[in-house]
Amino acid sequence: MTRIISYREIEDVEGFRPQNGMNFQTKSKNYSIVLMSVREDAPYQDKISEDGKTIDYVGHNLNKRYCNGKDPNTLDQPLFLPSGKLTENGKFAKAANYFKDGLQQSEKIRAYQKIKSGIWSFNGVFDLVDVAQEKSNNRIVHLFKLILTNEKVEDFQDENNDLPDDDRVIP
């Protein structure tokens, strides 16, 4: 069930201040975090399915410090940094491909959606099940498919919630 929260609540629950949109297994946790938005002014074109159970999450651009003065929105989204280390895109893609190949269970992703400045929703825990590359505005972007689970997060459960669970995100 979607829950409206403040950014401060995200910090309190996660134990750090997530400033990157993609956070792979942060602070030795057994899950990853994505910050997303489906607003018109959002920097990425994330999508929530009509039934609210699937998120198509767009990977992230190369950090400006690695772009040699070029606009990151004109460059392909990388899987590797110039040093050869995996980017967050690379880490998420590796996990998705390992899952698809039957080498590991799906990566658990906590999804937070920005509603407006300082106001967020906790959309639930998702399984990372796929990654694809697609052409967008003459460049390659990574598209990650997340499927809603029924996994509960203690910090976001209402103790006196008598409403039935509606296992979907509000699209």
Side-chain angles (χ1 to χ4, degrees):
M1 190 168 218
T2 302
R3 176 156 176 226
I4 304 302
I5 58 175
S6 69
Y7 186 76
R8 178 71 186 156
E9 286 177 273
I10 295 172
E11 293 176 322
D12 290 344
V13 167
E14 299 304 343
F16 77 106
R17 184 180 182 98
Q19 296 192 343
N20 297 321
M22 301 173 77
N23 302 273
F24 190 79
Q25 295 185 357
T26 58
K27 301 269 184 185
S28 64
K29 307 236 184 210
N30 61 353
Y31 58 86
S32 297
I33 298 167
V34 295
L35 306 178
M36 62 174 290
S37 178
V38 293
R39 301 180 315 164
E40 284 188 31
D41 62 344
Y44 300 98
Q45 299 301 311
D46 302 326
K47 294 182 179 91
I48 299 173
S49 66
E50 289 275 333
D51 67 3
K53 295 184 179 189
T54 304
I55 293 174
D56 289 333
Y57 186 82
V58 178
H60 283 225
N61 296 338
L62 188 61
N63 187 299
K64 286 182 182 181
R65 71 176 161 216
Y66 299 115
C67 292
N68 298 324
K70 295 180 182 173
D71 179 357
N73 292 307
T74 64
L75 302 173
D76 291 346
Q77 291 181 343
L79 294 175
F80 297 92
L81 294 170
S83 66
K85 287 180 63 177
L86 288 171
T87 63
E88 293 302 291
N89 290 329
K91 294 172 189 176
F92 276 70
K94 182 179 178 181
N97 286 323
Y98 276 16
F99 169 73
K100 289 191 314 185
D101 292 343
L103 300 174
Q104 70 181 33
Q105 292 184 354
S106 62
E107 180 69 19
K108 298 296 181 191
I109 310 288
R110 288 187 180 186
Y112 296 96
Q113 181 181 339
K114 186 174 191 174
I115 297 171
K116 64 185 206 175
S117 185
I119 301 175
W120 294 76
S121 67
F122 173 66
N123 286 349
V125 179
F126 290 76
D127 286 323
L128 172 61
V129 298
D130 199 5
V131 60
Q133 291 183 333
E134 67 178 38
K135 197 95 164 152
S136 175
N137 297 325
N138 295 320
R139 69 188 190 123
I140 301 295
V141 298
H142 302 285
L143 191 61
F144 299 94
K145 182 173 281 311
L146 310 175
I147 305 291
L148 186 64
T149 70
N150 60 4
E151 188 173 321
K152 305 295 180 206
V153 175
E154 184 177 313
D155 295 305
F156 294 124
Q157 303 309 308
D158 293 328
E159 291 178 18
N160 298 321
N161 186 1
D162 294 330
L163 298 174
D165 286 342
D166 183 18
D167 291 333
R168 70 186 190 102
V169 175
I170 299 171

